[in-house]
Amino acid sequence: GENVEQHPSTLSVQEGDSAVIKCTYSDSASNYFPWYKQELGKRPQLIIDIRSNVGEKKDQRIAVTLNKTAKHFSLHITETQPEDSAVYFCAAKRSGYSSASKIIFGSGTRLSIRP
Amino acid sequence: EAQVTQNPRYLITVTGKKLTVTCSQNMNHEYMSWYRQDPGLGLRQIYYSMNVEVTDKGDVPEGYKVSRKEKRNFPLILESPSPNQTSLYFCASSPGTSGDNEQFFGPGTRLTVL
């Protein structure tokens, strides 16, 4: 079945440095790729998403890149700050009103920012 | 305030005792979904609903039932809970029918099955 692999499972970076989290997916028909951030004890919240007709998307310090040929996408956080400490989840799904509308999440990356 | 609510927030029960976790959203979203979150496994989709009376299985539907009689409500039913269903459960809703838009999550329900 469909699968999304996420690496690394834990990541520790110095405040101010960049962090990169990578995901690979198995379903070549996937065309929607969101990233969610979950702070300790809180619910997941969308931070950025990308669709397959776009190769890169940026929102201030956060960017996502997509390589459809290789079936992988990555989250890039620049100038990391203490409030970036959280668990990050990637996900992949097909788009469209059909039975293939389920969402597959990666297993998560726990990001810690060292002061 | 636009939100997704879940009840109860915490529940301890025993094996085999039927339970229902309610989920309600006030954003007029068509797409609703249930997830379970377990350490090291991330979020796994249990069931989703693209609209009223339309539901489909996610990745881990075994042991769960859902219904979508009204747009705003999407209850999760465990007919005969077992200890392996001990988990943190999240309900979510999303605009549109396909689910490829931002998911708005509820606060979560922590379920323990003894």
Side-chain angles (χ1 to χ4, degrees):
Chain A
E2 299 95 330
N3 186 43
V4 174
E5 292 192 0
Q6 184 172 346
H7 299 282
S9 57
T10 59
L11 179 60
S12 178
V13 301
Q14 193 77 31
E15 182 178 349
D17 287 350
S18 296
V20 180
I21 302 170
K22 299 181 180 181
C23 289
T24 59
Y25 59 97
S26 61
D27 184 1
S28 56
S30 295
N31 52 14
Y32 175 63
F33 308 93
W35 285 89
Y36 285 83
K37 174 184 180 181
Q38 186 179 28
E39 297 176 357
L40 190 62
K42 302 287 182 65
R43 69 195 78 185
Q45 289 188 295
L46 182 77
I47 54 171
I48 196 167
D49 57 10
I50 192 168
R51 300 178 194 274
S52 60
N53 57 346
V54 175
E56 183 176 0
K57 185 177 179 180
K58 283 185 180 179
D59 183 2
Q60 300 182 347
R61 296 186 297 109
I62 293 173
V64 57
T65 57
L66 171 65
N67 183 328
K68 282 223 77 180
T69 303
K71 291 193 285 186
H72 69 70
F73 56 112
S74 300
L75 178 71
H76 304 253
I77 306 174
T78 58
E79 300 172 17
T80 52
Q81 300 170 4
E83 53 265 36
D84 294 329
S85 293
V87 178
Y88 292 81
F89 294 99
C90 64
K93 79 175 295 295
R94 298 182 183 185
S95 186
Y97 190 106
S98 74
S99 62
S101 288
K102 61 181 177 180
I103 302 169
I104 308 296
F105 280 82
S107 55
T109 296
R110 183 173 299 279
L111 175 63
S112 300
I113 307 301
R114 302 191 304 272
Chain B
E1 180 191 353
Q3 59 181 347
V4 179
T5 57
Q6 295 178 226
N7 282 292
R9 295 289 313 280
Y10 303 89
L11 179 60
I12 301 174
T13 189
V14 296
T15 299
K17 187 176 181 182
K18 181 179 179 180
L19 67 92
T20 299
V21 184
T22 64
C23 173
S24 183
Q25 52 94 6
N26 62 2
M27 294 172 279
N28 202 36
H29 288 167
E30 283 86 3
Y31 190 98
M32 296 187 74
S33 184
W34 276 102
Y35 301 88
R36 59 178 291 173
Q37 183 174 16
D38 302 287
L41 296 176
L43 292 158
R44 293 182 292 167
Q45 192 174 42
I46 303 171
Y47 269 95
Y48 60 93
S49 170
M50 293 172 280
N51 215 328
V52 176
E53 301 293 359
V54 181
T55 63
D56 207 346
K57 297 177 181 178
D59 237 21
V60 289
E62 295 79 18
Y64 304 95
K65 285 175 59 177
V66 293
S67 69
R68 187 88 184 275
K69 294 185 171 60
E70 314 162 274
K71 185 185 263 192
R72 63 184 294 124
N73 296 322
F74 190 44
L76 179 69
I77 303 155
L78 284 72
E79 295 269 3
S80 183
S82 62
N84 63 12
Q85 292 179 298
T86 291
S87 188
L88 177 60
Y89 291 86
F90 286 102
C91 179
S93 71
S94 176
T97 55
S98 61
D100 54 341
N101 293 293
E102 179 176 1
Q103 302 263 317
F104 293 84
F105 284 82
T109 294
R110 188 165 293 280
L111 172 65
T112 301
V113 183
L114 302 174

